[in-house]
Amino acid sequence: MAKTLYIDYQKCTGCRLCELVCAVFHDGISNPARSRIKVMKWESEGLYIPMSCQQCQDAPCMNVCPVKAISRDEELGRIVVDYDVCIGCRACVAACPFGAMNFNAKDKQVFKCDLCDGDPQCVRFCEVKAIEYLEVDDMSIYKKRDAATRISVAGKEAVALQAAM
Amino acid sequence: MTVEKEGLSTAESLRKARTYGKFRCHNPTCMERIQPEKGKKTAKCPTCGMEYRVHWVNPNLPRIRGPVWDVNRKLAEAKLKEMGVK
Amino acid sequence: MPLDRKIAYIDLTTGDIQTKPIPLDVRKKFLGGRGLDAYLLYNHTEKGCDPLGPKNTLMVSGGILTATCASATARTQIMANSPLTGLLGSANMGGFFAPEMAWAGFHHLVIKGKAKHPVYIYIHNGEIEIRDARDIWGKPVTDAQWAIRDDLGDQEVKSCVCGPAGENLVRFANVMTGIKNSGGRSGMGCVMGSKNLKGVAVRGTMDIKIARPTEALEYNKRFIDQIVSAKVNQTQGVLGTPFIWGATNSWGGIRCRNFQYNQCEYADDIEPERIDEICEETMGPYHMTGCFGCQVHCRAQYKIPEGPYAGVYDEGPEYTSQGAFGGETDTPRAITVLTGNHLVDKFGMDNLETGSLISWAMELYELGIITSKETDGLDLRFGNDDAVIEMIERICYRKGWLGDALADGGIAASEKIGKHSFDYLIQVKGMSNLHSDERATPALALNIATGSRGSDHLRSRPAIDLYHLPEEVLRKIYGNPVSYDGPLSSEHTEYIGKPWQVFWQENCYMGVDCLGICKYHTTFLGATLPNFEDWSKVIYYNTGLEMTPEEIWEVARRCNMIERLFNLREGLTRDDLKKGDMLNHRYFDEPCRRGAIDVVGKMIDKKKFIKMIDEFYEHKGLDQKGVPKPETLEVLGLENEPSHLV
C-alpha cells in the first residue's frame, strides 16, 4: 500500500531543516526557495505549519494541466510531473489549493514533492517526528489514538477534580 | 586528504563512555555516581550524605533538580561554623 | 569553487555601498564569522575611535558554513568597538537571520558612518538599499520587525533590529532578531542606535552551492545523530537552557544577592521543571522551538501567566534570565523571571548586564551607599520583585537618576556613585559577570577573567570541567588536534592544567563562531560533541575548502590573537581592574557561603590564580604583560597587521 507524508504541525519546532535537506537532496544546492516543503510561520504566536503536497486523489494540478504532463504514480502514491511533456505554463501552480506546486525561475520549471522516491528526507531528518511517512489507510488510526488519549486524559482529570471537590 | 579518513572522530568515539540512568553527586570532592531508583523523586548520596530532589527528563534520564533545601542549609551552616566563617 | 561569498561595505553617512568577493586566502586565514569580523574590525576602525561615533564600524556576519547543509548554522555574529567597555564588542545570536542574509547574497556586512535620520538596510537577492525608518524608530523589538515586513510587503523578510534601549544609547543594548534571539553583551544594539540604524532586513532566494551534496547530506545526518544523542542536548530539548541554571544552582555556582551568596535557596519556583510546567500550561505539550536547522530545540515558548503582562507571548526564558531576574536579585519567582525576560526582549537590552547591575544597585542600597534619593523613592532591597521590574524599564528609558546612571554601564555608574561602589561591582573589562559564581571553580574563574569581550562564559569556559571526567578522557579531548602532555586534573576545584583547558576552549569556541554554528553543537556542555576533527569534514563536504583539524586550530588561534591585538590597541593592560584580565577582589576575599558541602568556604587563591594567568599567556604565546611575543605573531602570520586584505 502507498505511503504518504503525515504532518503533525503541533510537533513542529519551526527549524526548517526539512526545507534545507529537501533542496540539497533534489538540487544539490542550499536554498529554501528550491524546497518542496515549506514551514509557514506565525512567529508572534509561536505557530509553525509545514506545508507540502497532499498527493491528492483527484488532483487539481493534474486536472488543469493542458498537456497532460502530470500523472499519478500508483506504486508510490504520488503525483509526478513529466518534464519531457511539461510546457512550463504554471497552470498547476495556480490551481493547487495548498500552494504545493512551485515554479523555479532559474531552471524555468515547476517542481513538487516526489516523496524522494520512497525515502523522504524531510522525514529522515525530523527528529521531533512532526513529519512521518505512513501508510495512507493507517493515518486515521493515528489520529483516533491521539484524540482518544486526549479524551481519556480529560476523563481522568474530571474524575480527579470531582474527587478533590 | 585527511578529511576523508574513515572511522570515528575522537568526539564520536567518546560516545561509548556515556552512562545512562545515573548522575554524579554535586559535591565536588565526592562526585560519586548515584543511581536513583527508577521514577523516584529523591536520592541520597551514599558517600557524602548530600540529599537531592530528582527529576526524570525521560524514563532513562534522571537529573538532579536541586538539593533538599533544609538539609542543604544545615550542612552549609555546620561547615561554615566548623571553618569559623562568620 | 562553491565558496563564492560576498562582503558588503555600507557607509550610512554618504549612502555609498560597495560589494566585494571574499578572497580565498582570507578565508583560509580567518574562515569567516567572528574570526573574519575581528580581522575586519582591526582593519576598519582607527585606534581610540569613539564607540558611539560615526567612525566605529559595525560588522554583521554569518560563518563559513552559514546556509550550507551543516547542522544549526543559525548564528549571526555582530562586532564593533564596544560602547560598554571601549574594548572588543562582540555578540552572537541564533534565529534565522544569518542564513537568510546568505541567501540574499552576503555573508559579511561592514557598516560605517551615521545616517541623518533613522534608516534600515534592506538586502534582497544581491541588492542593497537604505530605507527610511522614521516610522519604525521607537518601536519595540518585535513590533519593529513586523513593521519592516509591512513596509516591504513581504512576510518572509527576516530582520535584526535594535530596540528602544539601543535608540536610547543604553550601553548594553542588544541587536535582536525574531521574538527573543539576542545578540547580547557589550552593547552592539547601542552602536546600531548611535548610527541611526534601526535594523537590517534580509530576504533571499539565491543559491548557496554545496561542494559535495550527497556527502554533505549524509554527514549532516551523522553529525545530528552525534548532537541529539548527547544527554545534555536531550535535557536541553525538554527543559531548555534553564536546566543549566538549575544544575549550577544546585551545587552552588550561582550568584545570589549580587555576590553575597553562591546559591539561590528555595528557588523551586524558577527551577527548570517549574518553568517547563508554565510553558506547558500556556503553550501545550509541544512548546519547544529552535533556530534554523537545529534539532536541539532548546528554546521554550510561554505566555506570561499573570500580572500586568498576563497572556503576552514570549520565548525563553534562558538560563541567563533566571540568573538575572531570579537569582542575583534574590527574587526566585517565576512571574518575575518571565516578566523580566519579556521586558528585556521587548526593549532589546542585555538581560545579564541588566540583572547584574540591578543586583549590584540593590547591594549598594542595602549598604546605604545609595539611598532612596538616588532611587527616586524606589525600595531597592533584595527580594523586591516589583523593584526589579521597575528598574528594567527605568534603565531602558533612562528614567530617574539611577536608571540613567546604570544605563551607562557599571564602571561609569560606579564613578558617578563613588563611595567604594566599584568594589562591589562584579565585572571584568567593564562588562558585568553573568549570573554564575566561579569561586569554587578556578578554571571558570580564569575563563571569565581573560575573555576577550569582558567577563563572559561563551569565550573560553571549560564547562565540562565540572563533570569529573577521567583523566584519559580529558587527554583525548584536550590533546586534539594539537598534542598536549602537560598536567590535567579531573578535579574542578584544582588549578592544575586548567590554563590549557581554557586555552583549548578559547580556540574551540572561536572555531564554532567562525563556522557559524551553535556552541551547543561542540565541546561546551557535552564532552562527546563534535569539534576540530569533525569540522574539517563538514567544511570540506559543504564548501570544498580543505582544512585539516590542525589548520582550523591555527585559524582559531590567529583570530583570538587579532581580538587580543584589538584589545591591546584600545588600552587593555594585564592587571587593570577596569580594562584588564583581573577579577574583583571578592573572588579572593569572600568565601562561598552555600552550596554542596565542599563548595562551602571555597574562594580563589590569588597566588595560584595569577600563576594560572601566566601559564595561560604562555600557551597563547603572550609575554608576562599579556602582549604577543614577536615570534607568536610571525607564526600566526599577523606581524604586519593591519594588512588590509579585505
Side-chain angles (χ1 to χ4, degrees):
Chain A
M1 190 59 209
K3 287 172 149 188
T4 193
L5 297 183
Y6 173 65
I7 295 177
D8 184 346
Y9 73 88
Q10 285 196 71
K11 290 184 187 167
C12 178
T13 65
C15 82
R16 297 171 58 205
L17 182 59
C18 51
E19 296 179 27
L20 178 71
V21 297
C22 179
V24 173
F25 179 80
H26 288 98
D27 297 1
I29 283 167
S30 156
N31 183 355
R34 290 176 176 273
S35 173
R36 279 82 178 146
I37 187 166
K38 172 103 190 125
V39 183
M40 301 313 295
K41 295 193 173 189
W42 283 261
E43 282 114 321
S44 51
E45 295 166 46
L47 190 62
Y48 319 124
I49 304 185
M51 296 294 289
S52 184
C53 176
Q54 307 293 313
Q55 319 290 353
C56 306
Q57 294 303 315
D58 185 14
C61 58
M62 185 166 76
N63 297 338
V64 81
C65 180
V67 294
K68 302 272 172 266
I70 302 179
S71 61
R72 207 179 157 74
D73 167 5
E74 289 299 345
E75 196 194 334
L76 282 169
R78 62 181 178 173
I79 300 289
V80 290
V81 180
D82 184 343
Y83 290 108
D84 292 336
V85 180
C86 174
I87 55 171
C89 72
R90 302 187 300 277
C92 51
V93 178
C96 178
F98 299 100
M101 184 68 85
N102 316 275
F103 185 77
N104 181 335
K106 278 182 214 108
D107 305 341
K108 300 191 171 44
Q109 63 181 29
V110 297
F111 63 100
K112 68 176 289 298
C113 171
D114 59 0
L115 298 173
C116 300
D117 301 329
D119 181 16
Q121 298 300 304
C122 51
V123 174
R124 187 174 166 229
F125 277 87
C126 186
E127 294 282 335
V128 295
K129 296 194 187 324
I131 318 170
E132 293 192 83
Y133 190 45
L134 302 175
E135 298 287 345
V136 177
D137 51 0
D138 277 350
M139 220 130 92
S140 57
I141 285 288
Y142 291 101
K143 294 208 77 170
K144 280 191 187 76
R145 181 163 293 281
D146 267 3
T149 309
R150 284 196 298 274
I151 292 167
S152 122
V153 170
K156 278 176 198 157
E157 278 171 0
V159 170
L161 202 65
Q162 258 173 350
M165 284 162 80
Chain B
M1 168 77 205
T2 43
V3 298
E4 295 195 73
K5 191 169 64 185
E6 281 309 307
L8 300 177
S9 72
T10 308
E12 284 174 307
S13 70
L14 286 174
R15 272 173 71 173
K16 58 179 188 296
R18 287 180 191 152
T19 54
Y20 291 91
K22 296 177 194 172
F23 45 64
R24 280 188 188 275
C25 174
H26 275 168
N27 199 16
T29 51
C30 175
M31 281 281 161
E32 181 73 30
R33 274 195 203 282
I34 306 172
Q35 184 151 17
E37 220 175 289
K38 275 233 162 157
K40 230 181 143 203
K41 296 274 173 103
T42 53
K44 186 171 175 167
C45 175
T47 313
C48 75
M50 292 283 297
E51 280 183 48
Y52 299 108
R53 290 169 291 130
V54 179
H55 172 74
W56 293 82
V57 178
N58 66 44
N60 298 313
L61 183 50
R63 66 167 229 107
I64 292 177
R65 175 170 178 161
V68 174
W69 292 118
D70 291 340
V71 177
N72 183 68
R73 179 175 279 187
K74 226 167 77 190
L75 292 172
E77 278 177 350
K79 179 76 181 282
L80 283 172
K81 205 171 160 193
E82 181 194 313
M83 297 179 75
V85 178
K86 278 197 191 142
Chain C
M1 182 143 190
L3 195 57
D4 54 356
R5 321 280 199 254
K6 286 202 177 91
I7 181 167
Y9 302 86
I10 302 165
D11 189 326
L12 293 172
T13 308
T14 61
D16 183 50
I17 296 166
Q18 287 185 25
T19 64
K20 278 182 199 160
I22 302 169
L24 200 60
D25 57 330
V26 171
R27 278 288 185 202
K28 284 183 175 160
K29 255 184 126 171
F30 303 103
L31 276 178
R34 167 151 76 103
L36 185 48
D37 280 349
Y39 176 77
L40 290 165
L41 180 72
Y42 193 78
N43 278 266
H44 289 268
T45 52
E46 289 164 20
K47 179 181 176 179
C49 88
D50 174 10
L52 297 179
K55 285 190 171 171
N56 195 3
T57 314
L58 183 73
M59 258 63 63
V60 180
S61 73
I64 191 170
L65 290 177
T66 299
T68 66
C69 189
S71 175
T73 65
R75 307 303 296 190
T76 306
Q77 300 286 340
I78 303 131
M79 197 178 265
N81 190 349
S82 164
L84 180 67
T85 66
L87 300 171
L88 181 87
S90 169
N92 169 322
M93 65 189 178
F96 295 82
F97 182 83
E100 193 73 30
M101 185 167 91
W103 291 310
F106 296 94
H107 267 62
H108 284 261
L109 307 180
V110 179
I111 304 167
K112 275 188 180 178
K114 179 180 177 174
K116 283 186 196 71
H117 60 75
V119 296
Y120 74 93
I121 295 169
Y122 176 48
I123 306 176
H124 180 223
N125 287 351
E127 303 285 322
I128 300 176
E129 194 188 332
I130 299 171
R131 293 175 65 97
D132 194 339
R134 276 175 284 200
D135 291 342
I136 302 167
W137 198 254
K139 285 190 193 296
V141 167
T142 47
D143 291 354
Q145 293 176 69
W146 312 155
I148 287 173
R149 285 181 176 176
D150 291 343
D151 185 46
L152 295 167
D154 185 346
Q155 296 303 310
E156 296 291 310
V157 166
K158 305 282 182 288
S159 43
C160 65
V161 298
C162 67
E167 297 170 6
N168 298 335
L169 303 183
V170 173
R171 295 297 195 276
F172 41 93
N174 292 350
V175 174
M176 311 262 305
T177 182
I179 303 294
K180 69 141 284 266
N181 291 108
S182 312
R185 314 249 69 192
S186 70
M188 295 299 95
C190 180
V191 176
M192 252 192 183
S194 75
K195 295 189 172 307
N196 262 332
L197 178 65
K198 183 64 184 177
V200 182
V202 292
R203 169 84 171 106
T205 55
M206 292 168 82
D207 291 339
I208 297 281
K209 291 180 210 124
I210 305 294
R212 295 178 163 225
T214 312
E215 286 97 328
L217 194 69
E218 291 312 307
Y219 190 72
N220 194 16
K221 181 75 191 151
R222 184 168 146 190
F223 199 90
I224 290 170
D225 189 36
Q226 178 80 354
I227 303 296
V228 298
S229 63
K231 283 188 285 184
V232 61
N233 284 341
Q234 288 173 13
T235 311
Q236 301 250 55
V238 176
L239 297 174
T241 64
F243 105 88
I244 305 170
W245 187 88
T248 317
N249 192 39
S250 174
W251 61 261
I254 286 294
R255 284 209 277 144
C256 179
R257 297 190 163 233
N258 197 22
F259 202 69
Q260 298 176 21
Y261 288 88
N262 56 309
Q263 185 172 54
C264 184
E265 293 173 285
Y266 302 94
D268 304 43
D269 199 40
I270 60 166
E271 278 172 358
E273 289 79 1
R274 174 64 194 136
I275 301 286
D276 188 49
E277 268 171 30
I278 294 172
C279 295
E280 181 148 351
E281 280 160 19
T282 55
M283 293 303 292
Y286 303 109
H287 55 262
M288 298 307 284
T289 177
C291 300
F292 175 71
C294 181
Q295 293 294 329
V296 177
H297 50 79
C298 66
R299 192 162 77 241
Q301 305 175 316
Y302 73 91
K303 282 183 184 153
I304 299 177
E306 57 193 11
Y309 293 90
V312 173
Y313 173 76
D314 207 323
E315 290 170 3
E318 305 298 337
Y319 61 130
T320 47
S321 281
Q322 280 168 299
F325 310 125
E328 286 173 58
T329 49
D330 203 7
T331 49
R333 258 83 53 189
I335 183 68
T336 307
V337 168
L338 297 176
T339 307
N341 184 61
H342 172 65
L343 290 180
V344 288
D345 286 352
K346 185 174 154 183
F347 299 151
M349 203 155 79
D350 189 54
N351 54 359
L352 288 175
E353 197 73 39
T354 307
S356 286
L357 293 180
I358 294 173
S359 72
W360 170 59
M362 283 176 151
E363 189 171 14
L364 299 181
Y365 184 80
E366 292 202 344
L367 289 165
I369 293 175
I370 55 173
T371 63
S372 59
K373 188 174 151 255
E374 284 83 4
T375 68
D376 294 279
L378 193 67
D379 184 19
L380 207 57
R381 272 179 299 185
F382 285 116
N384 184 348
D385 301 71
D386 295 338
V388 173
I389 299 299
E390 171 67 21
M391 275 316 297
I392 297 172
E393 189 158 342
R394 286 195 191 181
I395 292 171
C396 172
Y397 290 100
R398 292 178 169 274
K399 280 197 269 189
W401 189 90
L402 189 63
D404 187 47
L406 295 183
D408 284 335
I411 290 183
S414 73
E415 284 161 3
K416 253 177 149 176
I417 296 167
K419 301 181 217 164
H420 302 291
S421 57
F422 179 72
D423 292 348
Y424 298 92
L425 183 67
I426 307 301
Q427 59 81 37
V428 175
K429 300 184 180 75
M431 189 160 97
S432 291
N433 291 21
L434 77 155
H435 55 243
S436 65
D437 188 317
E438 295 82 4
R439 277 177 286 184
T441 49
L444 275 53
L446 177 64
N447 136 243
I448 56 162
T450 55
S452 63
R453 67 170 172 182
S455 173
D456 186 57
H457 58 303
L458 295 171
R459 298 311 244 212
S460 56
R461 174 157 288 191
I464 57 170
D465 199 38
L466 299 172
Y467 300 166
H468 256 232
L469 298 167
E471 199 189 310
E472 68 266 23
V473 174
L474 287 177
R475 293 229 165 262
K476 274 189 187 161
I477 296 168
Y478 292 115
N480 251 313
V482 292
S483 63
Y484 171 74
D485 47 20
L488 279 173
S489 167
S490 301
E491 297 283 340
H492 61 255
T493 51
E494 258 303 338
Y495 295 75
I496 297 167
K498 305 305 173 190
W500 177 265
Q501 287 174 261
V502 174
F503 174 59
W504 190 94
Q505 297 284 171
E506 187 183 63
N507 291 330
C508 174
Y509 296 168
M510 179 53 94
V512 270
D513 286 345
C514 290
L515 265 53
I517 62 180
C518 177
K519 293 194 178 69
Y520 294 150
H521 291 230
T522 190
T523 321
F524 174 30
L525 298 176
T528 60
L529 293 171
N531 56 56
F532 300 92
E533 274 176 90
D534 314 79
W535 298 337
S536 177
K537 294 178 204 170
V538 80
I539 293 174
Y540 177 61
Y541 295 144
N542 279 288
T543 70
L545 189 66
E546 297 187 25
M547 299 278 287
T548 62
E550 295 80 0
E551 284 169 333
I552 301 172
W553 169 272
E554 279 305 297
V555 168
R557 273 196 71 190
R558 181 177 300 121
C559 297
N560 279 321
M561 196 55 76
I562 277 268
E563 289 193 344
R564 185 82 191 175
L565 286 174
F566 180 84
N567 277 339
L568 287 165
R569 193 182 78 183
E570 302 303 325
L572 181 148
T573 36
R574 178 173 170 164
D575 294 327
D576 187 342
L577 270 173
K578 293 181 179 175
K579 272 199 162 187
D581 294 334
M582 191 35 79
L583 293 173
N584 183 295
H585 70 95
R586 298 174 82 176
Y587 276 88
F588 312 116
D589 299 338
E590 294 179 22
C592 288
R593 306 183 64 85
R594 286 288 181 267
I597 316 167
D598 297 330
V599 167
V600 176
K602 285 272 184 307
M603 53 185 161
I604 299 294
D605 181 318
K606 194 167 185 180
K607 267 194 189 145
K608 288 183 183 171
F609 181 74
I610 287 169
K611 242 186 100 207
M612 280 207 301
I613 295 184
D614 291 345
E615 200 182 321
F616 175 72
Y617 283 176
E618 228 159 87
H619 292 315
K620 270 178 81 83
L622 309 176
D623 65 20
Q624 289 309 302
K625 283 183 173 163
V627 177
K629 297 174 189 165
E631 60 265 33
T632 309
L633 292 179
E634 207 172 309
V635 167
L636 296 174
L638 293 174
E639 65 275 38
N640 297 317
E641 292 307 326
S643 56
H644 298 292
L645 296 172
V646 67

